[in-house]
């Protein structure tokens, strides 16, 4: 259990950290009001850098995602109720993140941001890029919340198992007879 949980937590933390790096672009679009064209061009440029990055980085992230998904699914074969509840929720959230990122974020980044038109930062941003930037930023936020939920469920599982272990220890102490506490005669 310890190695499996460590792998799940490390993979989830790595992916969460990867999503947090997008804060460079997402903070300019989701959290700054009103959003100006300069901030949108900055976000578009950031996503363009990701779209044109080396393929080895993408393969590495895909391998890490596969490791995390395999490890969470592996824990289900145990069949205990705690595994089904906590790991079932973790699988749902992890798969939701994978699905959203694979079918919404990555296609948008690789189709719209691969070739940005040359522009000065003062130009107005095209409407299709503007809506794509907001969509990618929102999906990054949803993925971050889902992965935080995976960490919360794994922490909950650890806590539940530690409480069960404590209860088992207390029960075993009650069941085993302790040293006799009969009074011994006192010498004067």
């Amino acid at each position: 259990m310890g190695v499996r949980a460590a792998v799940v937590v490390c993979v989830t933390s790595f992916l969460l950290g990867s999503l947090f790096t997008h804060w460079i672009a997402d903070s300019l679009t989701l959290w700054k009001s009103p959003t100006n064209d300069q901030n949108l061009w900055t976000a578009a440029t950031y996503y363009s850098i990701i779209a044109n990055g080396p393929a080895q980085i993408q393969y590495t992230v895909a391998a890490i995602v596969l490791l995390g998904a395999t490890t969470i699914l592996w824990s289900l074969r145990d069949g205990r109720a705690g595994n089904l509840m906590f790991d079932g929720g973790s699988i749902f959230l992890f798969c939701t993140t994978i699905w959203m990122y694979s079918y919404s974020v990555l296609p948008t980044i690789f189709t719209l941001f691969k070739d940005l038109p040359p522009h000065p930062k003062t130009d107005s941003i095209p409407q299709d890029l503007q809506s794509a930037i907001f969509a990618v930023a929102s999906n990054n936020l949803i993925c971050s919340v889902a992965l935080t939920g995976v960490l919360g469920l794994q922490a909950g599982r650890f806590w539940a198992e530690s409480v069960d272990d404590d209860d088992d220890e207390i029960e075993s102490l009650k069941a085993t007879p302790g040293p006799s506490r009969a009074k011994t005669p006192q010498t004067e």
Side-chain angles (χ1 to χ4, degrees):
M1 197 302 276
V3 173
R4 187 213 54 83
V7 169
V8 170
V9 168
C10 287
V11 166
T12 304
S13 298
F14 173 81
L15 295 174
L16 203 52
S18 297
L19 285 171
F20 285 158
T21 61
H22 300 319
W23 187 251
I24 296 166
D26 297 344
S27 67
L28 298 174
T29 56
L30 291 179
W31 307 106
K32 302 267 182 171
S33 181
T35 304
N36 61 27
D37 287 328
Q38 183 178 3
N39 289 347
L40 292 172
W41 278 119
T42 302
T45 304
Y46 173 79
Y47 292 131
S48 176
I49 291 169
I50 291 174
N52 294 309
Q56 293 84 357
I57 293 174
Q58 297 158 12
Y59 295 139
T60 302
V61 172
I64 291 170
V65 166
L66 184 63
L67 174 67
T70 303
T71 306
I72 293 175
L73 288 171
W74 174 35
S75 69
L76 277 181
R77 75 181 171 91
D78 186 13
R80 293 186 334 198
N83 286 359
L84 295 176
M85 182 174 64
F86 291 109
D87 288 339
S90 294
I91 289 169
F92 174 76
L93 292 173
F94 199 83
C95 289
T96 298
T97 301
I98 292 170
W99 180 82
M100 182 168 288
Y101 212 74
S102 298
Y103 293 104
S104 182
V105 175
L106 291 178
T108 302
I109 288 176
F110 289 120
T111 56
L112 292 177
F113 298 103
K114 191 80 170 163
D115 299 311
L116 274 183
H119 60 280
K121 291 221 179 221
T122 55
D123 279 358
S124 66
I125 193 158
Q127 185 61 33
D128 61 334
L129 278 180
Q130 182 177 358
S131 61
I133 289 168
F134 284 119
V136 168
S138 299
N139 289 336
N140 283 339
L141 182 62
I142 292 169
C143 291
S144 296
V145 170
L147 288 175
T148 303
V150 171
L151 289 178
L153 285 169
Q154 292 301 309
R157 177 180 179 204
F158 174 76
W159 179 80
E161 287 180 357
S162 67
V163 168
D164 286 345
D165 291 343
D166 290 346
D167 289 346
D168 291 344
E169 186 177 316
I170 290 170
E171 289 299 319
S172 68
L173 288 175
K174 286 181 182 177
T176 57
S180 173
R181 298 195 183 246
K183 287 190 173 183
T184 56
Q186 293 184 3
T187 56
E188 293 181 27

